[in-house]
Amino acid sequence: MAKIYQFMANGFEDVEALAPVDILRRGGQDVVVVSVTGSEFVTSAHNVTIKADALFEDVDLSDADLLMLPGGMPGSTNLNEHEGLRKALVKHYEAGRRIAAICAAPMVFGSLGLLEGKRATCYPGCEGTLNGAVYTEELVTVDGNIITGRGPAAAFPYGYAILEMLAGKEVADALREGMIFNQLLRK
């Protein structure tokens, strides 16, 4: 079982935050939702308030297998402005561990120089924030230890791609089938 931390800031995109967490937890992974706001409550771009599992200042990320960022605006900008998170992402990435971001959130990786020479995707119009990346336009792009997703419609494929990377194809395929996602692909 992998240990995953998803970081939440006010203004996050609802489906991009919750669908991957749901998929990963159903897939047997240990996901901790972490607020970077100083409050355990975080409000989405669409005025949905959720309660995080932990506050950034209270977590020890040394056991993390993957650090994950949901998109949305101004949530992605708020994540990018959190210096503690920025330092944690660089340390985690430089240790060869996995990072993931969807929609506008790959901007955080771009601003840190983590996408230089990597293939990545993001929400249309945010390509300029990928600094040094090769933009793919794919729903989900995996390049080494970086996973990026394009936007709200990519939330499920992104979650399954992360699960496959961490738990294997068999686990991800079984969950896709169990959640009736494969039926969409057959139409």
Side-chain angles (χ1 to χ4, degrees), residues 10-133:
N10 288 324
F12 68 89
E13 177 59 43
D14 309 55
V15 70
E16 295 166 359
L18 300 178
V21 168
D22 180 23
I23 289 166
L24 292 165
R25 286 182 176 172
R26 286 176 192 244
Q29 306 311 296
D30 184 6
V31 182
V32 179
V33 176
V34 179
S35 170
V36 301
T37 68
S39 166
E40 62 187 356
F41 295 100
V42 188
T43 303
S44 78
H46 304 288
N47 255 350
V48 175
T49 300
I50 67 157
K51 184 178 183 241
D53 300 317
L55 299 177
F56 182 85
E57 48 273 18
D58 296 335
V59 294
D60 174 7
L61 302 175
S62 63
D63 63 347
D65 295 296
L66 181 127
L67 303 182
M68 188 166 67
L69 308 178
M73 289 301 263
S76 297
T77 300
N78 292 336
L79 290 172
N80 201 28
E81 292 174 352
H82 192 280
E83 284 305 315
L85 174 59
R86 290 171 58 82
K87 288 177 184 171
L89 287 165
V90 169
K91 181 178 179 182
H92 191 79
Y93 177 77
E94 288 178 347
R97 294 187 178 164
R98 296 177 176 107
I99 56 175
I102 188 169
C103 193
M107 73 164 32
V108 180
F109 300 165
S111 74
L112 294 168
L114 305 181
L115 297 177
E116 189 68 41
K118 298 282 189 178
R119 296 173 60 252
T121 193
C122 64
Y123 192 78
C126 295
E127 304 89 345
T129 67
L130 298 182
N131 301 337

